[in-house]
Amino acid sequence: MAKSAKSLAANQYLFTSESVSMGHPDKVSDQVSDAILDSLLAVDSQARVACETMCTTGLVVVGGEITVHNQKAVEALNNAEDTIRQTLRDIGYAGDLGMKFDADTCGVLRVMHSQSADISMGVTEGSGMHKEQGAGDQGLMFGFACRETATLMPLPIDLSHRLVEQHAKVRVSGKIKGLRPDAKSQVTVAYDKKTNKPVRIDTIVLSTQHTADWNGAKKQAELKKQVIKHIINPVMPKAMYDAKKVTIHVNPTGQFEIGGPHGDVGLTGRKIIVDTYGGRGRHGGGAFSGKDPSKVDRSAAYMARYVAKNIVAAKLADQCEVQLSYAIGVPEPTSVHVDTFGTNKVDEALISKLVREFFPLTPSGILKHLKLKAPIFSPTAAHGHFGRKPGKIKVGSKSYATFTWEKTDMAAKLRKAAGV
């Protein structure tokens, strides 16, 4: 029996989430897809993009449906190979041929065609059966928020993201020499059964790719000490983290020299639980990266998070999950469902009414309110789409608002309308 199971108190349960680094092959694919998307949105806000990437030993394959509307966008599409190679350099796949995947030597294959005219008709204002812009596809999307962290994210996924984010900082700084871009984190948190609140960190797993210098049992033992000191300890919340009692696994196979796209094939959209809430709350199944915001898989999931986060920030509930669903070509959602898991401070029916009243839920309303028709998506493709700090990003001479769905600017209005 595992150590964590032996030490678990009768009034506690465990919940685990994972994250992966920017150098993980699936995240490499996500970042390439979103880099291409941003390169097009920077010059064509109406670009229709569904870009899928596969990366493996010495090769990147990019395919999908892309429609652009001006010459600058055509030029950006023609320069996609440069965009791809620069993205790989930024991740850290450059100058280390031992990884067998390098920005300057890998092959790049592009297989793209235009968006289906039938789909385009449904999502172009005035072209389909409805005058207003319709949803780019049918489907269901979920948003979630809870009061476990300052970002209103579940603690296990929040800590998992912070670990791989810290890994990237330590790798780039050279504080631990010989780290490579591929890494995975996993955090298990013990919760109180009665209150459903986190009480302590139970288990941490951190696997990091490294150079051959770290091979061997003695070297791995030293690497573990360095990883705990520079990556794990700085991230953990002191009130819930006792380094002497927490189970910590670093590279539990014994070593991790072979990794990145050489170790595993990477695909866009294969880390949808990492991208969202780490298994807390539900998931509709649609991936985000590489999709322009006319696709409700992405934009409606962002809006659902925005709604849920503002409800929790307004203290109308301690937990909130919002489900939206759509029919292709139809502007209004086919359903809106709010679940507060019994933590609501006002009637759930009132909360649902306020959601309809205060939040625009049509595709065009979402795009306008969250300012999504902009080249803001590359930063989302690593370290999670949610729980991030809203800010600004500069692309060329223009500045764009980022992570707008993480704002809590509607909380005060909700509280006032709910009479709290």
Side-chain angles (χ1 to χ4, degrees):
M1 187 177 287
K3 177 183 175 183
S4 58
K6 287 181 180 178
S7 61
L8 185 64
N11 65 335
Q12 296 177 355
Y13 67 90
L14 302 177
F15 193 87
T16 302
S17 295
E18 70 159 348
S19 186
V20 297
S21 72
M22 64 198 314
H24 184 281
D26 293 331
K27 278 289 135 197
V28 171
S29 295
D30 285 346
Q31 288 165 95
V32 167
S33 293
D34 271 341
I36 291 174
L37 169 64
D38 278 354
S39 73
L40 298 172
L41 289 176
V43 291
D44 179 4
S45 64
Q46 304 300 321
R48 297 283 164 72
V49 182
C51 181
E52 309 290 344
T53 302
M54 182 198 79
C55 59
T56 186
T57 305
L59 180 65
V60 176
V61 180
V62 179
E65 302 79 49
I66 296 178
T67 300
V68 294
H69 306 90
N70 59 51
Q71 186 57 38
K72 286 187 176 180
V74 172
E75 292 171 4
L77 196 53
N78 288 338
N79 291 330
E81 183 174 329
D82 293 339
T83 301
I84 293 165
R85 294 189 188 280
Q86 186 56 51
T87 301
L88 300 181
R89 291 187 198 101
D90 292 342
I91 294 169
Y93 286 108
D96 183 353
L97 299 182
M99 290 189 285
K100 295 183 170 56
F101 185 79
D102 182 83
D104 298 307
T105 62
C106 70
V108 174
L109 178 62
R110 294 182 290 163
V111 188
M112 302 174 184
H113 58 85
S114 298
Q115 182 185 49
S116 160
D118 294 341
I119 296 175
S120 178
M121 180 172 60
V123 296
T124 300
E125 186 175 350
S127 296
M129 293 178 64
H130 303 269
K131 286 187 176 182
E132 188 177 348
Q133 177 181 345
D137 201 353
Q138 71 175 49
L140 49 143
M141 303 84 207
F142 289 95
F144 184 81
C146 63
R147 203 173 297 286
E148 291 181 16
T149 61
T151 58
L152 304 185
M153 286 287 284
L155 184 62
I157 187 65
D158 187 69
L159 292 178
S160 295
H161 284 325
R162 301 296 74 78
L163 283 172
V164 290
E165 191 174 51
Q166 180 70 5
H167 172 274
K169 291 177 182 177
V170 170
R171 172 177 60 84
V172 172
S173 71
K175 193 170 284 186
I176 302 177
K177 297 191 182 302
L179 295 188
R180 282 171 165 170
D182 193 1
K184 297 181 78 172
S185 65
Q186 185 172 288
V187 178
T188 300
V189 175
Y191 285 78
D192 183 279
K193 285 182 179 179
K194 187 175 289 187
T195 64
N196 285 317
K197 292 182 179 180
V199 292
R200 62 181 175 83
I201 310 302
D202 184 88
T203 304
I204 299 167
V205 183
L206 197 294
S207 296
T208 174
Q209 188 187 12
H210 54 76
T211 61
D213 299 332
W214 289 108
N215 289 346
K218 289 185 178 180
K219 292 292 184 67
Q220 283 291 308
E222 177 58 30
L223 179 59
K224 180 176 181 177
K225 290 179 182 178
Q226 294 295 315
V227 165
I228 291 172
K229 179 180 178 180
H230 296 296
I231 298 177
I232 296 176
N233 286 348
V235 167
M236 290 297 117
K238 293 180 181 178
M240 283 186 278
Y241 175 67
D242 185 338
K244 294 179 180 179
K245 294 182 180 179
V246 173
T247 300
I248 298 178
H249 300 286
V250 175
N251 289 351
T253 67
Q255 66 183 51
F256 186 6
E257 182 186 352
I258 301 169
H262 177 55
D264 290 290
V265 172
L267 295 172
T268 299
R270 200 157 59 180
K271 286 291 178 284
I272 59 176
I273 301 303
V274 169
D275 286 344
T276 51
Y277 308 102
R280 283 286 293 280
R282 285 167 280 198
H283 197 294
F288 302 153
S289 289
K291 295 178 181 177
D292 77 82
S294 74
K295 278 75 170 172
V296 284
D297 272 348
R298 184 169 216 161
S299 55
Y302 289 175
M303 177 55 80
R305 161 65 176 172
Y306 178 65
V307 174
K309 186 173 184 180
N310 275 273
I311 289 170
V312 173
K315 298 183 179 179
L316 303 186
D318 292 331
Q319 288 187 57
C320 184
E321 181 183 80
V322 175
Q323 186 202 50
L324 305 175
S325 68
Y326 293 85
I328 189 168
V330 179
E332 291 291 339
T334 55
S335 68
V336 180
H337 176 62
V338 177
D339 188 349
T340 60
F341 307 96
T343 68
N344 51 302
K345 312 305 179 186
V346 298
D347 192 271
E348 255 187 13
L350 174 59
I351 297 175
S352 295
K353 178 178 176 291
L354 295 177
V355 168
R356 286 284 198 175
E357 182 179 343
F358 283 96
F359 296 93
L361 301 178
T362 64
S364 61
I366 293 171
L367 297 183
K368 183 177 180 181
H369 190 87
L370 296 181
K371 301 178 181 178
L372 297 181
K373 293 168 75 171
I376 59 172
F377 298 105
S378 290
T380 69
H383 309 146
H385 292 248
F386 305 124
R388 309 286 291 276
K389 188 177 180 180
K392 295 280 188 180
I393 186 173
K394 195 165 186 181
V395 180
S397 60
K398 296 182 179 179
S399 182
Y400 301 93
T402 59
F403 295 101
T404 53
W405 51 94
E406 290 297 314
K407 290 184 176 182
T408 54
D409 54 337
M410 300 296 288
K413 294 179 181 178
L414 290 172
R415 283 181 63 80
K416 183 178 180 180
V420 177

